[in-house]
Amino acid sequence: MRRLALTVMLGLLASSQAEKVQVPVPIGIALAQTGNVALLGQEQVIGARLAEKHINAHGGIGGTPIKLVFQDAAGDENSAINAFQNLITKADVVAIVGPTLSQQAFAADPIADRAKVPVIGPSNTAKGIPQIGDYIARVSAPVAVVAPNAIKQALKLDPKIKKAAVLYAQNDAFSVSETGTFQEAAKAQGLNIATVQKFQTTDTDFTTQVTAVLNSGADLVIISGLAADGGNLVKQLRQLGYKGLIVGGNGLNTSNIFPVCQQYCDGVIIAQAYSPAQPGAANQLFVKEYRSQYKKDPPQFAAQAYAGVQVVADALKVLDRQKKLSQWDLNDLRAALNKQILAGKYNTPLGEVRFDKEGEVLQKDFYVAQIKMKDAKNGTFVYLK
C-alpha cells in the first residue's frame, strides 16, 4: 500500500510540474537584427510582426492571442545558438521561426530538434536543412529549385552568352551550396565556367576578384553572397568596366542592397520564390497591409517570415479545436504541433504551400526579377516573364 501511495504521489507531483502553455501563446523569432546580415533580417522582422498583427486582429488562436518573442540571432552561429537556447528554455515558446542564414541553421536547429521544438526556416535554402531533424521544416524553397531560373532568364535576355564567371562567399554555408547549384545549372545550359572566385562576407575590396573576371572574358557573372558584400561586389564590377549581365543569388534578394551598389544595381537578375503579384487572397491582403505601412511592395524575405509565422498559427488553430491551447502541456503541444505542421496545407503570401514528410516545402510558383534603379538609392524589382 505504501509503495502504491508513493507511486500515486510521485505521479501527481510529476503532473503538477508539467508545464502548461502560456497565454498569450509564445512563438519564438530568431532572426538577424544586427550584424552584416541585418539587411535581410530587418525585412524578416517586419514580415513576422505583420503576421502577428493580422493573426491577433482576426481572433488569434480560437480567441487566444499569440505573442512573438524576439531574439537577435545576428549573423553568426553562436548568436543563433544562444537565441534558440533562450527561446526554448527561458521563453518556453511553442515553436521557432528562424534563423536567417543556412549556416546558422546547421548550428542551431539541432538544439531545437533535440528539445523537440518545431522550427520553421524562413530563409534557409541550402541543401540538407530539412534533414537536420524531425522537428525542422522550412518555407524557403531550396536553392536547387529556384536558382537555375535566373540563369535561364539571363540566356533569354542575351542568347549570345557563352562564358560565365562565378563568385561566392566561401565562409557562408548557403553561398557555398548555392554556387554549386549555379555552376551545375550554367553547365547544363551549355555555358563554360571561365573563372571561379572566392571571397568572404566581410570583404569590402574585390579588386582581385573583379580583375580575374575581366581577364577571363566572361559575358555573365553569377554571385552568391550576402547583401553587403554582394552589393559592393556588383558596384566594383561595374566601376571597373564589366558590362555584361549579372545574376545575383538569394542573399542579394533585398531592396536593402540598393544603397550599397546604388545605380550599379541596375539590371541585376535574381530568381524569386515570391511575387507581390501572386494572385492569392492571402498574398493580396499581405501586400495591402505592407504597402499601407511601408509605401512599397513587400520583398521575399518579409513574405517568407510572414508565411513562417502563419504556418505555426494555422497549425495551432487545428490543435486548439481539439483542446484549448491553455490546457495543453507544453511538451505535448510542441510534439503535436510538429506533426500538424507537416500535415497541413497553407494559403500564404507565397501561394499554397505544404510539406513533405521531411519538412521540405512544396511550393508551386517561382519567379525571376530584374532590378531597375530610379536613382542612386531607390529602385524596384521588375518581374520578368
Side-chain angles (χ1 to χ4, degrees):
M1 288 292 291
R2 286 183 180 178
R3 184 174 295 175
L4 178 61
L6 180 60
T7 302
V8 171
M9 287 179 63
L10 289 173
L12 290 172
L13 181 61
S15 63
S16 67
Q17 290 177 338
E19 195 165 0
K20 294 293 183 181
V21 176
Q22 297 179 34
V23 176
V25 181
I27 299 172
I29 307 294
L31 298 170
Q33 298 180 51
T34 59
N36 66 330
V37 191
L39 294 178
L40 307 179
Q42 289 162 3
E43 293 181 345
Q44 295 177 308
V45 168
I46 289 171
R49 289 196 184 280
L50 282 175
E52 178 187 38
K53 180 180 178 182
H54 176 80
I55 291 162
N56 284 338
H58 290 79
I61 312 298
T64 301
I66 64 169
K67 178 183 179 181
L68 300 188
V69 183
F70 286 86
Q71 284 280 314
D72 182 11
D76 61 287
E77 293 92 325
N78 285 338
S79 294
I81 288 169
N82 290 336
F84 270 49
Q85 289 175 332
N86 286 334
L87 291 171
I88 294 166
T89 62
K90 295 181 180 179
D92 294 330
V93 299
V94 299
I96 296 174
V97 177
T100 298
L101 297 182
S102 294
Q103 183 149 328
Q104 294 176 298
F106 286 122
D109 283 3
I111 295 169
D113 190 63
R114 287 193 294 270
K116 293 182 168 50
V117 176
V119 173
I120 301 290
S123 53
N124 309 142
T125 59
K127 182 179 179 180
I129 294 291
Q131 290 76 30
I132 290 172
D134 293 339
Y135 280 74
I136 312 303
R138 60 178 170 188
V139 291
S140 42
V143 63
V145 173
V146 181
N149 297 331
I151 294 178
K152 292 176 183 176
Q153 187 66 53
L155 291 172
K156 189 175 179 182
L157 292 174
D158 184 0
K160 296 179 181 179
I161 291 172
K162 300 297 181 186
K163 298 166 68 176
V166 177
L167 303 97
Y168 71 96
Q170 62 181 333
N171 62 328
D172 175 57
F174 162 71
S175 296
V176 172
S177 175
E178 184 182 64
T179 193
T181 297
F182 270 138
Q183 292 182 50
E184 289 174 8
K187 292 173 184 175
Q189 293 296 315
L191 300 181
N192 294 320
I193 305 298
T195 184
V196 177
Q197 296 292 313
K198 302 175 184 177
F199 59 90
Q200 303 281 332
T201 55
T202 52
D203 286 349
T204 56
D205 183 355
F206 300 94
T207 305
T208 300
Q209 291 89 345
V210 173
T211 301
V213 170
L214 296 174
N215 290 339
S216 74
D219 41 18
L220 175 67
V221 167
I222 304 169
I223 300 172
S224 293
L226 303 179
D229 49 288
N232 276 312
L233 178 50
V234 168
K235 181 178 181 181
Q236 291 173 40
L237 275 163
R238 294 303 190 200
Q239 286 176 329
L240 292 174
Y242 175 72
K243 299 189 183 304
L245 287 174
I246 298 175
V247 166
N250 200 44
L252 280 69
N253 191 5
T254 167
S255 60
N256 286 334
I257 72 164
F258 297 166
V260 181
C261 47
Q262 301 169 354
Q263 68 266 30
Y264 302 105
C265 299
D266 195 74
V268 174
I269 299 167
I270 300 178
Q272 305 270 339
Y274 170 73
S275 168
Q278 203 282 335
N283 182 51
Q284 290 310 303
L285 183 58
F286 167 65
V287 170
K288 181 180 178 181
E289 292 174 344
Y290 192 98
R291 284 175 178 165
S292 68
Q293 190 162 342
Y294 297 99
K295 312 306 178 188
K296 60 182 181 179
D297 283 340
Q300 176 180 303
F301 281 90
Q304 288 176 321
Y306 186 107
V309 175
Q310 182 192 335
V311 164
V312 174
D314 285 356
L316 285 171
K317 289 175 184 177
V318 175
L319 300 178
D320 182 73
R321 289 193 288 268
Q322 299 173 12
K323 182 171 68 174
K324 297 302 293 180
L325 295 186
S326 59
Q327 298 173 9
W328 283 81
D329 290 337
L330 178 58
N331 289 336
D332 290 344
L333 179 64
R334 287 168 168 172
L337 176 59
N338 189 61
K339 291 180 181 178
Q340 185 56 47
I341 286 171
L342 298 182
K345 290 183 180 180
Y346 309 90
N347 292 313
T348 76
L350 308 176
E352 182 185 286
V353 300
R354 53 190 179 87
F355 303 93
D356 69 14
K357 62 182 180 180
E358 288 189 317
E360 182 65 90
V361 66
L362 302 174
Q363 179 181 342
K364 295 179 181 178
D365 301 321
F366 299 99
Y367 315 88
V368 178
Q370 190 169 29
I371 295 174
K372 295 295 182 184
M373 296 300 294
K374 300 174 183 176
D375 52 46
K377 291 187 178 181
N378 300 293
T380 186
F381 287 97
V382 176
Y383 288 81
L384 306 174
K385 295 181 179 179

